[in-house]
PDB file of all heavy atoms in Angstrom:
ATOM      1  N   PRO A 405     -95.138  24.392  34.712  1.00 78.00           N
ATOM      2  CA  PRO A 405     -95.197  24.716  36.136  1.00 78.00           C
ATOM      3  C   PRO A 405     -93.853  25.107  36.752  1.00 78.00           C
ATOM      4  O   PRO A 405     -93.825  25.897  37.687  1.00 78.00           O
ATOM      5  CB  PRO A 405     -95.712  23.423  36.785  1.00 78.00           C
ATOM      6  CG  PRO A 405     -96.331  22.637  35.699  1.00 78.00           C
ATOM      7  CD  PRO A 405     -95.636  23.040  34.438  1.00 78.00           C
ATOM      8  N   ILE A 406     -92.754  24.551  36.235  1.00 80.00           N
ATOM      9  CA  ILE A 406     -91.457  24.884  36.833  1.00 80.00           C
ATOM     10  C   ILE A 406     -90.733  26.005  36.093  1.00 80.00           C
ATOM     11  O   ILE A 406     -89.652  26.398  36.490  1.00 80.00           O
ATOM     12  CB  ILE A 406     -90.553  23.646  36.950  1.00 80.00           C
ATOM     13  CG1 ILE A 406     -90.177  23.108  35.580  1.00 80.00           C
ATOM     14  CG2 ILE A 406     -91.191  22.583  37.817  1.00 80.00           C
ATOM     15  CD1 ILE A 406     -89.057  22.095  35.621  1.00 80.00           C
ATOM     16  N   SER A 407     -91.332  26.516  35.046  1.00 83.00           N
ATOM     17  CA  SER A 407     -90.745  27.649  34.335  1.00 83.00           C
ATOM     18  C   SER A 407     -91.185  28.919  35.035  1.00 83.00           C
ATOM     19  O   SER A 407     -92.356  29.084  35.389  1.00 83.00           O
ATOM     20  CB  SER A 407     -91.198  27.663  32.877  1.00 83.00           C
ATOM     21  OG  SER A 407     -90.726  26.513  32.218  1.00 83.00           O
ATOM     22  N   ASP A 408     -90.220  29.812  35.236  1.00 83.00           N
ATOM     23  CA  ASP A 408     -90.522  31.081  35.877  1.00 83.00           C
ATOM     24  C   ASP A 408     -89.519  32.116  35.391  1.00 83.00           C
ATOM     25  O   ASP A 408     -88.720  31.849  34.494  1.00 83.00           O
ATOM     26  CB  ASP A 408     -90.533  30.942  37.405  1.00 83.00           C
ATOM     27  CG  ASP A 408     -89.199  30.471  37.966  1.00 83.00           C
ATOM     28  OD1 ASP A 408     -88.133  30.775  37.383  1.00 83.00           O
ATOM     29  OD2 ASP A 408     -89.225  29.782  39.012  1.00 83.00           O
ATOM     30  N   ALA A 409     -89.555  33.277  36.001  1.00 85.00           N
ATOM     31  CA  ALA A 409     -88.707  34.374  35.552  1.00 85.00           C
ATOM     32  C   ALA A 409     -87.217  34.087  35.723  1.00 85.00           C
ATOM     33  O   ALA A 409     -86.392  34.755  35.114  1.00 85.00           O
ATOM     34  CB  ALA A 409     -89.092  35.648  36.302  1.00 85.00           C
ATOM     35  N   SER A 410     -86.876  33.071  36.493  1.00 86.00           N
ATOM     36  CA  SER A 410     -85.454  32.761  36.693  1.00 86.00           C
ATOM     37  C   SER A 410     -84.878  31.855  35.612  1.00 86.00           C
ATOM     38  O   SER A 410     -83.660  31.745  35.497  1.00 86.00           O
ATOM     39  CB  SER A 410     -85.248  32.104  38.065  1.00 86.00           C
ATOM     40  OG  SER A 410     -85.744  30.774  38.063  1.00 86.00           O
ATOM     41  N   ASN A 411     -85.735  31.166  34.828  1.00 89.00           N
ATOM     42  CA  ASN A 411     -85.207  30.192  33.877  1.00 89.00           C
ATOM     43  C   ASN A 411     -85.851  30.249  32.487  1.00 89.00           C
ATOM     44  O   ASN A 411     -85.657  29.361  31.688  1.00 89.00           O
ATOM     45  CB  ASN A 411     -85.343  28.772  34.455  1.00 89.00           C
ATOM     46  CG  ASN A 411     -86.774  28.402  34.791  1.00 89.00           C
ATOM     47  OD1 ASN A 411     -87.723  28.979  34.275  1.00 89.00           O
ATOM     48  ND2 ASN A 411     -86.935  27.435  35.688  1.00 89.00           N
ATOM     49  N   SER A 412     -86.610  31.282  32.222  1.00 94.00           N
ATOM     50  CA  SER A 412     -87.307  31.388  30.933  1.00 94.00           C
ATOM     51  C   SER A 412     -86.595  32.336  29.990  1.00 94.00           C
ATOM     52  O   SER A 412     -85.817  33.193  30.404  1.00 94.00           O
ATOM     53  CB  SER A 412     -88.734  31.880  31.143  1.00 94.00           C
ATOM     54  OG  SER A 412     -89.486  30.919  31.841  1.00 94.00           O
ATOM     55  N   ARG A 413     -86.908  32.179  28.704  1.00 97.00           N
ATOM     56  CA  ARG A 413     -86.464  33.105  27.660  1.00 97.00           C
ATOM     57  C   ARG A 413     -87.519  33.102  26.576  1.00 97.00           C
ATOM     58  O   ARG A 413     -88.370  32.208  26.518  1.00 97.00           O
ATOM     59  CB  ARG A 413     -85.092  32.722  27.117  1.00 97.00           C
ATOM     60  CG  ARG A 413     -85.042  31.392  26.412  1.00 97.00           C
ATOM     61  CD  ARG A 413     -83.600  31.006  26.035  1.00 97.00           C
ATOM     62  NE  ARG A 413     -83.529  29.665  25.519  1.00 97.00           N
ATOM     63  CZ  ARG A 413     -83.601  29.337  24.230  1.00 97.00           C
ATOM     64  NH1 ARG A 413     -83.744  30.298  23.308  1.00 97.00           N
ATOM     65  NH2 ARG A 413     -83.533  28.086  23.843  1.00 97.00           N
ATOM     66  N   LEU A 414     -87.494  34.119  25.712  1.00 98.00           N
ATOM     67  CA  LEU A 414     -88.453  34.217  24.614  1.00 98.00           C
ATOM     68  C   LEU A 414     -87.732  34.099  23.277  1.00 98.00           C
ATOM     69  O   LEU A 414     -86.648  34.669  23.095  1.00 98.00           O
ATOM     70  CB  LEU A 414     -89.196  35.553  24.659  1.00 98.00           C
ATOM     71  CG  LEU A 414     -90.150  35.781  25.825  1.00 98.00           C
ATOM     72  CD1 LEU A 414     -90.670  37.208  25.819  1.00 98.00           C
ATOM     73  CD2 LEU A 414     -91.290  34.788  25.767  1.00 98.00           C
ATOM     74  N   VAL A 415     -88.362  33.383  22.350  1.00 98.00           N
ATOM     75  CA  VAL A 415     -87.903  33.309  20.965  1.00 98.00           C
ATOM     76  C   VAL A 415     -89.105  33.690  20.106  1.00 98.00           C
ATOM     77  O   VAL A 415     -90.148  33.033  20.157  1.00 98.00           O
ATOM     78  CB  VAL A 415     -87.394  31.901  20.595  1.00 98.00           C
ATOM     79  CG1 VAL A 415     -87.020  31.850  19.119  1.00 98.00           C
ATOM     80  CG2 VAL A 415     -86.214  31.509  21.473  1.00 98.00           C
ATOM     81  N   LEU A 416     -88.968  34.765  19.339  1.00 98.00           N
ATOM     82  CA  LEU A 416     -90.063  35.289  18.514  1.00 98.00           C
ATOM     83  C   LEU A 416     -89.651  35.173  17.052  1.00 98.00           C
ATOM     84  O   LEU A 416     -88.680  35.799  16.622  1.00 98.00           O
ATOM     85  CB  LEU A 416     -90.366  36.726  18.921  1.00 98.00           C
ATOM     86  CG  LEU A 416     -90.676  36.878  20.424  1.00 98.00           C
ATOM     87  CD1 LEU A 416     -90.650  38.324  20.843  1.00 98.00           C
ATOM     88  CD2 LEU A 416     -91.980  36.221  20.771  1.00 98.00           C
ATOM     89  N   ASN A 417     -90.382  34.334  16.319  1.00 98.00           N
ATOM     90  CA  ASN A 417     -90.029  34.024  14.941  1.00 98.00           C
ATOM     91  C   ASN A 417     -90.912  34.824  13.988  1.00 98.00           C
ATOM     92  O   ASN A 417     -92.111  34.555  13.873  1.00 98.00           O
ATOM     93  CB  ASN A 417     -90.188  32.515  14.699  1.00 98.00           C
ATOM     94  CG  ASN A 417     -89.689  32.107  13.338  1.00 98.00           C
ATOM     95  OD1 ASN A 417     -90.175  32.589  12.323  1.00 98.00           O
ATOM     96  ND2 ASN A 417     -88.713  31.203  13.314  1.00 98.00           N
ATOM     97  N   LEU A 418     -90.308  35.803  13.311  1.00 98.00           N
ATOM     98  CA  LEU A 418     -91.062  36.684  12.418  1.00 98.00           C
ATOM     99  C   LEU A 418     -91.529  35.960  11.162  1.00 98.00           C
ATOM    100  O   LEU A 418     -92.608  36.243  10.649  1.00 98.00           O
ATOM    101  CB  LEU A 418     -90.217  37.908  12.051  1.00 98.00           C
ATOM    102  CG  LEU A 418     -89.663  38.730  13.222  1.00 98.00           C
ATOM    103  CD1 LEU A 418     -88.937  39.965  12.694  1.00 98.00           C
ATOM    104  CD2 LEU A 418     -90.752  39.114  14.199  1.00 98.00           C
ATOM    105  N   GLY A 419     -90.752  35.033  10.665  1.00 97.00           N
ATOM    106  CA  GLY A 419     -91.123  34.299   9.461  1.00 97.00           C
ATOM    107  C   GLY A 419     -92.344  33.423   9.671  1.00 97.00           C
ATOM    108  O   GLY A 419     -93.226  33.351   8.816  1.00 97.00           O
ATOM    109  N   LYS A 420     -92.397  32.767  10.805  1.00 97.00           N
ATOM    110  CA  LYS A 420     -93.519  31.875  11.113  1.00 97.00           C
ATOM    111  C   LYS A 420     -94.642  32.578  11.871  1.00 97.00           C
ATOM    112  O   LYS A 420     -95.705  32.001  12.054  1.00 97.00           O
ATOM    113  CB  LYS A 420     -93.025  30.687  11.941  1.00 97.00           C
ATOM    114  CG  LYS A 420     -92.085  29.782  11.177  1.00 97.00           C
ATOM    115  CD  LYS A 420     -91.632  28.624  12.043  1.00 97.00           C
ATOM    116  CE  LYS A 420     -90.675  27.737  11.259  1.00 97.00           C
ATOM    117  NZ  LYS A 420     -90.146  26.647  12.086  1.00 97.00           N
ATOM    118  N   GLN A 421     -94.368  33.812  12.333  1.00 98.00           N
ATOM    119  CA  GLN A 421     -95.326  34.564  13.141  1.00 98.00           C
ATOM    120  C   GLN A 421     -95.747  33.737  14.362  1.00 98.00           C
ATOM    121  O   GLN A 421     -96.924  33.563  14.665  1.00 98.00           O
ATOM    122  CB  GLN A 421     -96.543  35.009  12.308  1.00 98.00           C
ATOM    123  CG  GLN A 421     -96.212  36.018  11.215  1.00 98.00           C
ATOM    124  CD  GLN A 421     -95.818  37.373  11.775  1.00 98.00           C
ATOM    125  OE1 GLN A 421     -96.641  38.133  12.269  1.00 98.00           O
ATOM    126  NE2 GLN A 421     -94.522  37.701  11.707  1.00 98.00           N
ATOM    127  N   ARG A 422     -94.729  33.219  15.072  1.00 97.00           N
ATOM    128  CA  ARG A 422     -94.936  32.406  16.269  1.00 97.00           C
ATOM    129  C   ARG A 422     -94.019  32.902  17.378  1.00 97.00           C
ATOM    130  O   ARG A 422     -92.865  33.268  17.128  1.00 97.00           O
ATOM    131  CB  ARG A 422     -94.624  30.921  16.024  1.00 97.00           C
ATOM    132  CG  ARG A 422     -95.409  30.235  14.936  1.00 97.00           C
ATOM    133  CD  ARG A 422     -96.873  30.122  15.179  1.00 97.00           C
ATOM    134  NE  ARG A 422     -97.191  29.298  16.350  1.00 97.00           N
ATOM    135  CZ  ARG A 422     -98.432  29.060  16.746  1.00 97.00           C
ATOM    136  NH1 ARG A 422     -99.452  29.578  16.100  1.00 97.00           N
ATOM    137  NH2 ARG A 422     -98.657  28.322  17.809  1.00 97.00           N
ATOM    138  N   GLY A 423     -94.538  32.883  18.588  1.00 97.00           N
ATOM    139  CA  GLY A 423     -93.743  33.174  19.767  1.00 97.00           C
ATOM    140  C   GLY A 423     -93.556  31.902  20.561  1.00 97.00           C
ATOM    141  O   GLY A 423     -94.444  31.050  20.587  1.00 97.00           O
ATOM    142  N   LYS A 424     -92.397  31.773  21.190  1.00 97.00           N
ATOM    143  CA  LYS A 424     -92.137  30.605  22.023  1.00 97.00           C
ATOM    144  C   LYS A 424     -91.566  31.050  23.360  1.00 97.00           C
ATOM    145  O   LYS A 424     -90.572  31.777  23.404  1.00 97.00           O
ATOM    146  CB  LYS A 424     -91.159  29.654  21.343  1.00 97.00           C
ATOM    147  CG  LYS A 424     -91.739  28.997  20.109  1.00 97.00           C
ATOM    148  CD  LYS A 424     -90.752  28.058  19.469  1.00 97.00           C
ATOM    149  CE  LYS A 424     -91.370  27.444  18.220  1.00 97.00           C
ATOM    150  NZ  LYS A 424     -90.411  26.614  17.496  1.00 97.00           N
ATOM    151  N   LEU A 425     -92.217  30.594  24.419  1.00 96.00           N
ATOM    152  CA  LEU A 425     -91.678  30.727  25.758  1.00 96.00           C
ATOM    153  C   LEU A 425     -90.853  29.471  25.990  1.00 96.00           C
ATOM    154  O   LEU A 425     -91.357  28.359  25.813  1.00 96.00           O
ATOM    155  CB  LEU A 425     -92.807  30.838  26.788  1.00 96.00           C
ATOM    156  CG  LEU A 425     -92.379  30.891  28.249  1.00 96.00           C
ATOM    157  CD1 LEU A 425     -91.606  32.182  28.539  1.00 96.00           C
ATOM    158  CD2 LEU A 425     -93.601  30.789  29.150  1.00 96.00           C
ATOM    159  N   MET A 426     -89.586  29.649  26.325  1.00 95.00           N
ATOM    160  CA  MET A 426     -88.650  28.534  26.428  1.00 95.00           C
ATOM    161  C   MET A 426     -88.145  28.377  27.863  1.00 95.00           C
ATOM    162  O   MET A 426     -87.986  29.364  28.582  1.00 95.00           O
ATOM    163  CB  MET A 426     -87.440  28.783  25.517  1.00 95.00           C
ATOM    164  CG  MET A 426     -87.743  29.076  24.067  1.00 95.00           C
ATOM    165  SD  MET A 426     -88.376  27.667  23.163  1.00 95.00           S
ATOM    166  CE  MET A 426     -86.939  26.591  23.173  1.00 95.00           C
ATOM    167  N   ASN A 427     -87.848  27.135  28.230  1.00 92.00           N
ATOM    168  CA  ASN A 427     -87.112  26.805  29.446  1.00 92.00           C
ATOM    169  C   ASN A 427     -85.973  25.920  28.959  1.00 92.00           C
ATOM    170  O   ASN A 427     -86.193  24.770  28.596  1.00 92.00           O
ATOM    171  CB  ASN A 427     -88.007  26.068  30.440  1.00 92.00           C
ATOM    172  CG  ASN A 427     -87.286  25.736  31.740  1.00 92.00           C
ATOM    173  OD1 ASN A 427     -86.096  25.465  31.744  1.00 92.00           O
ATOM    174  ND2 ASN A 427     -88.016  25.755  32.834  1.00 92.00           N
ATOM    175  N   GLY A 428     -84.773  26.480  28.881  1.00 89.00           N
ATOM    176  CA  GLY A 428     -83.665  25.768  28.254  1.00 89.00           C
ATOM    177  C   GLY A 428     -83.984  25.553  26.790  1.00 89.00           C
ATOM    178  O   GLY A 428     -84.347  26.484  26.077  1.00 89.00           O
ATOM    179  N   ASP A 429     -83.936  24.306  26.339  1.00 90.00           N
ATOM    180  CA  ASP A 429     -84.273  23.982  24.954  1.00 90.00           C
ATOM    181  C   ASP A 429     -85.693  23.470  24.804  1.00 90.00           C
ATOM    182  O   ASP A 429     -86.090  23.037  23.721  1.00 90.00           O
ATOM    183  CB  ASP A 429     -83.289  22.934  24.400  1.00 90.00           C
ATOM    184  CG  ASP A 429     -81.896  23.502  24.199  1.00 90.00           C
ATOM    185  OD1 ASP A 429     -81.788  24.718  23.950  1.00 90.00           O
ATOM    186  OD2 ASP A 429     -80.919  22.732  24.306  1.00 90.00           O
ATOM    187  N   THR A 430     -86.462  23.511  25.884  1.00 90.00           N
ATOM    188  CA  THR A 430     -87.834  23.019  25.859  1.00 90.00           C
ATOM    189  C   THR A 430     -88.807  24.150  25.569  1.00 90.00           C
ATOM    190  O   THR A 430     -88.758  25.197  26.221  1.00 90.00           O
ATOM    191  CB  THR A 430     -88.215  22.374  27.213  1.00 90.00           C
ATOM    192  OG1 THR A 430     -87.308  21.304  27.474  1.00 90.00           O
ATOM    193  CG2 THR A 430     -89.632  21.847  27.205  1.00 90.00           C
ATOM    194  N   VAL A 431     -89.673  23.946  24.588  1.00 92.00           N
ATOM    195  CA  VAL A 431     -90.736  24.910  24.296  1.00 92.00           C
ATOM    196  C   VAL A 431     -91.824  24.710  25.342  1.00 92.00           C
ATOM    197  O   VAL A 431     -92.446  23.662  25.425  1.00 92.00           O
ATOM    198  CB  VAL A 431     -91.315  24.696  22.878  1.00 92.00           C
ATOM    199  CG1 VAL A 431     -92.478  25.659  22.633  1.00 92.00           C
ATOM    200  CG2 VAL A 431     -90.235  24.860  21.830  1.00 92.00           C
ATOM    201  N   VAL A 432     -92.034  25.723  26.153  1.00 92.00           N
ATOM    202  CA  VAL A 432     -93.032  25.679  27.220  1.00 92.00           C
ATOM    203  C   VAL A 432     -94.389  26.105  26.683  1.00 92.00           C
ATOM    204  O   VAL A 432     -95.427  25.569  27.053  1.00 92.00           O
ATOM    205  CB  VAL A 432     -92.600  26.577  28.388  1.00 92.00           C
ATOM    206  CG1 VAL A 432     -93.658  26.630  29.466  1.00 92.00           C
ATOM    207  CG2 VAL A 432     -91.269  26.110  28.956  1.00 92.00           C
ATOM    208  N   MET A 433     -94.368  27.099  25.794  1.00 93.00           N
ATOM    209  CA  MET A 433     -95.597  27.600  25.189  1.00 93.00           C
ATOM    210  C   MET A 433     -95.272  28.098  23.795  1.00 93.00           C
ATOM    211  O   MET A 433     -94.274  28.782  23.591  1.00 93.00           O
ATOM    212  CB  MET A 433     -96.173  28.737  26.037  1.00 93.00           C
ATOM    213  CG  MET A 433     -97.505  29.249  25.549  1.00 93.00           C
ATOM    214  SD  MET A 433     -98.127  30.627  26.555  1.00 93.00           S
ATOM    215  CE  MET A 433     -98.370  29.814  28.107  1.00 93.00           C
ATOM    216  N   ASP A 434     -96.104  27.758  22.822  1.00 95.00           N
ATOM    217  CA  ASP A 434     -95.961  28.181  21.432  1.00 95.00           C
ATOM    218  C   ASP A 434     -97.261  28.879  21.067  1.00 95.00           C
ATOM    219  O   ASP A 434     -98.327  28.289  21.196  1.00 95.00           O
ATOM    220  CB  ASP A 434     -95.731  26.945  20.563  1.00 95.00           C
ATOM    221  CG  ASP A 434     -95.501  27.280  19.097  1.00 95.00           C
ATOM    222  OD1 ASP A 434     -95.859  28.375  18.632  1.00 95.00           O
ATOM    223  OD2 ASP A 434     -94.992  26.412  18.394  1.00 95.00           O
ATOM    224  N   TYR A 435     -97.183  30.152  20.649  1.00 96.00           N
ATOM    225  CA  TYR A 435     -98.392  30.941  20.444  1.00 96.00           C
ATOM    226  C   TYR A 435     -98.253  31.861  19.225  1.00 96.00           C
ATOM    227  O   TYR A 435     -97.148  32.211  18.824  1.00 96.00           O
ATOM    228  CB  TYR A 435     -98.711  31.753  21.704  1.00 96.00           C
ATOM    229  CG  TYR A 435     -97.580  32.660  22.161  1.00 96.00           C
ATOM    230  CD1 TYR A 435     -97.557  34.000  21.817  1.00 96.00           C
ATOM    231  CD2 TYR A 435     -96.530  32.159  22.927  1.00 96.00           C
ATOM    232  CE1 TYR A 435     -96.525  34.825  22.223  1.00 96.00           C
ATOM    233  CE2 TYR A 435     -95.493  32.974  23.341  1.00 96.00           C
ATOM    234  CZ  TYR A 435     -95.493  34.307  22.988  1.00 96.00           C
ATOM    235  OH  TYR A 435     -94.462  35.127  23.384  1.00 96.00           O
ATOM    236  N   PRO A 436     -99.385  32.253  18.624  1.00 97.00           N
ATOM    237  CA  PRO A 436     -99.334  33.128  17.449  1.00 97.00           C
ATOM    238  C   PRO A 436     -98.987  34.568  17.818  1.00 97.00           C
ATOM    239  O   PRO A 436     -99.365  35.046  18.900  1.00 97.00           O
ATOM    240  CB  PRO A 436    -100.744  33.038  16.873  1.00 97.00           C
ATOM    241  CG  PRO A 436    -101.607  32.642  18.012  1.00 97.00           C
ATOM    242  CD  PRO A 436    -100.750  31.832  18.936  1.00 97.00           C
ATOM    243  N   ILE A 437     -98.265  35.211  16.906  1.00 98.00           N
ATOM    244  CA  ILE A 437     -97.898  36.619  17.068  1.00 98.00           C
ATOM    245  C   ILE A 437     -98.187  37.367  15.762  1.00 98.00           C
ATOM    246  O   ILE A 437     -98.457  36.759  14.731  1.00 98.00           O
ATOM    247  CB  ILE A 437     -96.410  36.789  17.438  1.00 98.00           C
ATOM    248  CG1 ILE A 437     -95.497  36.264  16.317  1.00 98.00           C
ATOM    249  CG2 ILE A 437     -96.106  36.136  18.779  1.00 98.00           C
ATOM    250  CD1 ILE A 437     -94.038  36.639  16.465  1.00 98.00           C
ATOM    251  N   SER A 438     -98.087  38.680  15.835  1.00 98.00           N
ATOM    252  CA  SER A 438     -98.120  39.527  14.655  1.00 98.00           C
ATOM    253  C   SER A 438     -97.064  40.605  14.840  1.00 98.00           C
ATOM    254  O   SER A 438     -97.121  41.378  15.800  1.00 98.00           O
ATOM    255  CB  SER A 438     -99.503  40.164  14.458  1.00 98.00           C
ATOM    256  OG  SER A 438     -99.509  40.976  13.298  1.00 98.00           O
ATOM    257  N   SER A 439     -96.094  40.635  13.948  1.00 98.00           N
ATOM    258  CA  SER A 439     -94.975  41.565  14.050  1.00 98.00           C
ATOM    259  C   SER A 439     -95.217  42.801  13.184  1.00 98.00           C
ATOM    260  O   SER A 439     -96.294  42.992  12.637  1.00 98.00           O
ATOM    261  CB  SER A 439     -93.690  40.845  13.637  1.00 98.00           C
ATOM    262  OG  SER A 439     -93.791  40.400  12.299  1.00 98.00           O
ATOM    263  N   GLY A 440     -94.179  43.620  13.042  1.00 96.00           N
ATOM    264  CA  GLY A 440     -94.284  44.862  12.294  1.00 96.00           C
ATOM    265  C   GLY A 440     -94.431  44.660  10.800  1.00 96.00           C
ATOM    266  O   GLY A 440     -93.776  43.810  10.209  1.00 96.00           O
ATOM    267  N   ARG A 441     -95.291  45.486  10.214  1.00 95.00           N
ATOM    268  CA  ARG A 441     -95.477  45.439   8.755  1.00 95.00           C
ATOM    269  C   ARG A 441     -94.279  46.109   8.078  1.00 95.00           C
ATOM    270  O   ARG A 441     -93.419  46.684   8.747  1.00 95.00           O
ATOM    271  CB  ARG A 441     -96.799  46.094   8.381  1.00 95.00           C
ATOM    272  CG  ARG A 441     -96.967  47.521   8.832  1.00 95.00           C
ATOM    273  CD  ARG A 441     -98.387  48.017   8.517  1.00 95.00           C
ATOM    274  NE  ARG A 441     -98.577  49.381   8.955  1.00 95.00           N
ATOM    275  CZ  ARG A 441     -99.444  49.749   9.888  1.00 95.00           C
ATOM    276  NH1 ARG A 441    -100.195  48.862  10.485  1.00 95.00           N
ATOM    277  NH2 ARG A 441     -99.573  51.009  10.212  1.00 95.00           N
ATOM    278  N   SER A 442     -94.216  46.032   6.766  1.00 95.00           N
ATOM    279  CA  SER A 442     -93.015  46.493   6.044  1.00 95.00           C
ATOM    280  C   SER A 442     -92.705  47.970   6.287  1.00 95.00           C
ATOM    281  O   SER A 442     -91.537  48.350   6.316  1.00 95.00           O
ATOM    282  CB  SER A 442     -93.149  46.213   4.545  1.00 95.00           C
ATOM    283  OG  SER A 442     -94.272  46.889   4.012  1.00 95.00           O
ATOM    284  N   SER A 443     -93.703  48.802   6.498  1.00 94.00           N
ATOM    285  CA  SER A 443     -93.458  50.229   6.747  1.00 94.00           C
ATOM    286  C   SER A 443     -92.982  50.502   8.181  1.00 94.00           C
ATOM    287  O   SER A 443     -92.468  51.580   8.471  1.00 94.00           O
ATOM    288  CB  SER A 443     -94.720  51.044   6.466  1.00 94.00           C
ATOM    289  OG  SER A 443     -95.778  50.625   7.313  1.00 94.00           O
TER     290      SER A 443
END
């Protein structure tokens, strides 16, 4: 609830295929992603 555009950042982990919405060092949301294939 207190995370917003003024204090958030994104960390996208290609190895784990996970995205994280962060507020400082706190994971606010952890969700599945799909990144680019080898080509």
Side-chain angles (χ1 to χ4, degrees):
I406 65 167
S407 296
D408 60 31
S410 73
N411 58 22
S412 294
R413 64 186 173 93
L414 292 173
V415 176
L416 305 167
N417 186 301
L418 305 184
K420 294 180 181 176
Q421 294 291 287
R422 302 295 297 180
K424 292 180 181 175
L425 176 66
M426 306 290 293
N427 181 326
D429 290 331
T430 301
V431 177
V432 176
M433 185 182 295
D434 183 340
Y435 56 97
I437 63 168
S438 180
S439 61
R441 57 186 179 243
S442 60
S443 61

